[in-house]
Each structure stands twice: as C-alpha cells, then as structure tokens.
Amino acid sequence: MDNLNLFIRSIFIDNMIFAYFLGMCSFIAVSKNVKTAFGLGIAVTFMLTVTLPVNYLLETYVLREGALSWLGAEYADVDLSFLSLIVFIAVIASMTQLVEMVVEKYAPALYSSLGIFLPLIAVNCAILGGSLFMQQRGFESVWTAVCAGGGWGIGWLLAITAVAAIRERVAQYSNVPAPLRGVGITFIITALMGIAFMSFLGIKI
Amino acid sequence: MANKSVFFNPFSKDNPVIVQILGICSVLAVTAKLEPAIVMGLSVIAVLAFSNVIISLIRNTIPTNIRIIVQLVVVAGLVVIVSQLLQAYAYDVSKQLSVFIGLIITNCILMGRLEAFAMANRPWPSFLDGVGNGIGYTIILVIVGFFRELLGSGTLLGFQIVPQCFYEAGYVNNGLMILPPMALVLVACIIWVHRSFNKDLQEKQ
C-alpha cells in the first residue's frame, strides 16, 4: 500500500520536471513533436525503473557503511560511500549504452530522430537525481525503489508528452513573437506549468 | 575551423545555454544568489577545459561502444578533484554548493562538448573550446543570478543594494524570483533579447 502511495506521489507531487526541474536539457530539445517525445519518455522511464533498484542493491550491499558485513565480521566497518557517485554513474552509463544498442537495432527511425539525446540520457539529471534521492531517503526494499523509479519515469513521460502537445498547438495556431519561437516559448510554458504543479507540493495522500 | 572562432563563438552566437540549450538544470538550481553562480561557473570552466583535453588526448584509443563510460569516469574524477579543492580553499562556498558540484557530472554541456568536439579534434582546439563554452555558460549564470538576487532578495553578493528607505516606503522583495520557475522565465527573456539581435537564430513558424 505504501509503495502504491509512493508511486502516485512520484508521478504527480514529486514530478521530476515540474517539482525538481531535473532532466531539462533533453526535455526542451526533444519536445517538438509528441511522437519523439513519447519515445524518449519511454526510454527514460525504462532507465529509471532499471537503474534505481540496481543502484539500491549496490548501495545496500556494497557501498553503505557496514554494508559489507555479509562478507564477514572484519568488513563490518568498511565505508565505501565516497565511491557512490562514480558507481551510480557507471551503472547508468552502461545501461544507456545497452538501451542505445537495442534502439539502434530495432527502431532505427526513432534512433535517428533522437540523435545526440540518446547518449545524453546518461547525463540526464533526472536519472542520477533519482538514484541520489533514493540514497538520501533511505528506501526500505527493492520494491520501493522500483515503484519510485517507475513513478518518476512516468511523471517525466507525462510532462514531456504534455508540453510536446502544447508546443505542437502553439506552433500551428499562435502568433508567437519571432525571437521567442521554439525554445523561448517552451521555457515560459514549462515555467507556468511548474508554478501550477507547485500547488501539489505539501499534499499528503 | 580557426582557433579564434572556436574560442569566441560560444560567447554569443553558439552559446551553450541559450543556443545549444544544454545545462539548464544547474542554471535553475544555483542562480538564486550571485555568489554560488560565479563559483559554479568557474568550476564548470575548469572541469570542461580539462575533460576536453583528456578526452581529446585519448580519443583514438577509446572503443566506440564504451565511450560514454570512459567520458563519464574522466568527468567524475575531475569533479571529485574540484570539490576537494573547494573544500580545502573555499570551505564556506563549497558548503553552499555541495550538492550542485556533484551535479556537474550530469551537466549536459560536458557530455555535449565531449561528444561533439573533443572526440574529433586535437587537444589545443579542444582546450579553447572547453574554456570558451565554460565562459559562455558562466555569462548566462551571472546574468540570471544578478537579476534573481537583486529582485528576489534586494542584495548583490550579500551586500544590501536596495536602500532601507525603499522598504520603509512599502517596497517588497519579489519572493517569486527565488523560486526555480522564474529562472526559466529569465532565461526565456535572455533568449528573447539575444534572438532579436541575432535574426538568423530565430526559428521559422
């Protein structure tokens, strides 16, 4: 039950884009049309759902202070937490490489439209941010990590698809001042949606 | 490309933040005050320049399939050095910035420049490209930080700028400026001004 709550909270209240403003670079650049945006959203959701539990297991059984005690009593006071940043990013980078190869093989059209932003998933702040939040909040089990990762990913997917849909309409029907066209107006749309999503902050389910 | 244009293009015409749209997350996170914005900018210049040089030196020996991991390990190592240096010589600022220095690893500018420039160029142009892009990033950080601190807290670098008699006459600081969405709006305004002067950057309707 708690995990379900956490899942819903991660989608709406702790939304990666509108509450924490993480993963903005690819969000701004890829939200030009709904189809590509949806593809990248799926990739990010997958990455978050996979890397969070993997990093959780590493954190619990290798990195945390006293985590190595299952090796024997003499390892009980080993603290490897200074390595956590590098380990997390290495896990994320190798998973990205995997996703990149799979997408290139099975969906070449999506691969060419995502362009440089597929390798950039590795440095998508939302994914490292997810792992760091997981470390900071001290989740209880792998399932909690899976639920939070999935929730954050779906929240990101929701946000990028919604903004992409708004951008498609804006490009068709609105007379935006020429210098603001494209990127500029997207920043303002995101800012307004961010202010709207702030009303979710502090709500307890 | 001539070294001079490699160095000066990122200042305005090819600015990493407002033209290439990279590294937005940290622009939102660190610019509520001017001082962390400046320190963050300097750290990014250092990490960007040296990671560009290192990757450029070993670019011919990196297997394509694992290049992202190699790049991230180089960047993560440099970020750890920068954060240790800041803790040793500028402890107060590093305390203010602690989380954001770690987030340099996921700053998209780094991966973007490594992928797009350092993987294909010799070390000296790569160094100039790194410093140039770092300065372009710092310019935007400083402009956004200047306006947010001035309008949001009435101070600059911690010194009171708005005189006390203004407050007595009923002037109130704009609390909205401290919130992250306003950084997005400010960046949008910078893009607006920048593109009204650089008409070739404007997007077609």
Side-chain angles (χ1 to χ4, degrees):
Chain A
M1 205 53 215
D2 278 349
N3 285 348
L4 185 66
N5 273 344
L6 186 78
F7 181 68
I8 292 168
R9 281 183 59 92
S10 311
I11 296 180
F12 293 106
I13 303 170
D14 292 345
N15 189 292
M16 272 288 175
I17 286 187
F18 297 134
Y20 298 123
F21 293 93
L22 291 177
M24 292 299 294
C25 317
S26 38
F27 171 80
I28 298 281
V30 184
S31 59
K32 273 191 191 110
N33 68 66
V34 175
K35 213 175 154 210
T36 328
F38 192 75
L40 186 72
I42 295 283
V44 167
T45 309
F46 176 76
M47 290 288 299
L48 268 168
T49 324
V50 173
T51 54
L52 227 67
V54 171
N55 281 340
Y56 174 82
L57 289 176
L58 280 170
E59 161 81 5
T60 317
Y61 293 109
V62 180
L63 295 170
R64 205 156 57 188
E65 190 176 0
L68 282 172
S69 52
W70 54 273
L71 274 179
E74 67 267 36
Y75 293 101
D77 53 353
V78 176
D79 181 7
L80 290 178
S81 52
F82 66 95
L83 282 177
S84 56
L85 214 53
I86 292 185
V87 170
F88 288 171
I89 206 73
V91 168
I92 291 169
S94 39
M95 290 309 298
T96 311
Q97 207 91 59
L98 198 72
V99 170
E100 193 185 348
M101 287 190 269
V102 170
V103 172
E104 190 179 7
K105 181 110 171 55
Y106 294 105
L110 184 63
Y111 181 78
S112 56
S113 63
L114 289 179
I116 193 185
F117 285 95
L118 205 52
L120 280 184
I121 289 183
V123 280
N124 191 322
C125 327
I127 292 167
L128 184 66
S131 289
L132 292 177
F133 282 136
M134 174 273 293
Q135 190 185 27
Q136 188 189 340
R137 294 179 188 181
F139 287 165
E140 290 138 28
S141 74
V142 182
W143 292 115
T144 320
V146 174
C147 289
W152 278 325
I154 291 171
W156 204 90
L157 170 71
L158 214 65
I160 194 172
T161 317
V163 169
I166 294 177
R167 277 184 79 172
E168 277 189 355
R169 298 296 179 283
V170 167
Q172 271 176 342
Y173 302 118
S174 317
N175 188 15
V176 182
L180 269 182
R181 264 174 217 157
V183 177
I185 199 71
T186 313
F187 275 89
I188 293 178
I189 293 169
T190 316
L192 291 177
M193 287 183 80
I195 292 173
F197 263 68
M198 276 189 163
S199 55
F200 283 124
L201 284 176
I203 292 180
K204 294 261 188 302
I205 298 177
Chain B
M1 214 179 354
N3 283 350
K4 197 177 151 200
S5 62
V6 165
F7 184 70
F8 285 108
N9 270 359
F11 286 13
S12 157
K13 209 170 75 188
D14 202 16
N15 189 289
V17 179
I18 60 176
V19 180
Q20 304 174 43
I21 318 296
L22 298 171
I24 307 292
C25 321
S26 53
V27 173
L28 301 171
V30 301
T31 51
K33 292 266 186 295
L34 189 53
E35 195 191 358
I38 293 174
V39 176
M40 181 72 178
L42 293 178
S43 319
V44 169
I45 293 176
V47 175
L48 193 51
F50 288 110
S51 60
N52 255 358
V53 170
I54 294 173
I55 290 298
S56 169
L57 281 172
I58 59 174
R59 69 183 188 279
N60 292 327
T61 54
I62 305 175
T64 326
N65 281 337
I66 58 156
R67 66 182 191 285
I68 294 177
I69 301 174
V70 176
Q71 289 164 358
L72 279 176
V73 169
V74 169
V75 172
L78 284 166
V79 168
V80 171
I81 294 174
V82 165
S83 100
Q84 299 287 330
L85 279 177
L86 279 180
Q87 278 176 23
Y89 296 108
Y91 186 68
D92 291 339
V93 188
S94 87
K95 246 174 127 181
Q96 245 178 326
L97 273 171
S98 58
V99 196
F100 308 127
I101 291 292
L103 277 179
I104 294 180
I105 300 178
T106 55
N107 193 321
C108 326
I109 294 179
L110 285 157
M111 280 291 284
R113 291 329 291 172
L114 293 179
E115 277 279 305
F117 199 91
M119 287 299 283
N121 285 283
R122 300 172 63 79
W124 177 240
S126 300
F127 179 77
L128 291 179
D129 179 78
V131 176
N133 276 286
I135 293 176
Y137 172 79
T138 311
I139 293 172
I140 304 298
L141 274 190
V142 168
I143 296 174
V144 177
F146 176 84
F147 283 110
R148 281 182 80 187
E149 183 166 1
L150 185 63
L151 299 176
S153 323
T155 57
L156 280 179
L157 291 170
F159 296 108
Q160 193 72 32
I161 294 291
V162 177
Q164 194 60 37
C165 57
F166 274 42
Y167 290 105
E168 280 155 14
Y171 174 82
V172 181
N173 284 330
N174 186 352
L176 200 58
M177 276 294 174
I178 301 293
L179 300 174
M182 286 315 285
L184 276 175
V185 173
L186 275 175
V187 175
C189 292
I190 296 175
I191 291 177
W192 193 346
V193 174
H194 185 249
R195 292 196 178 176
S196 350
F197 289 109
N198 296 275
K199 292 224 165 25
D200 53 320
L201 288 173
Q202 294 175 5
E203 290 176 34
K204 301 268 180 311
Q205 187 83 22

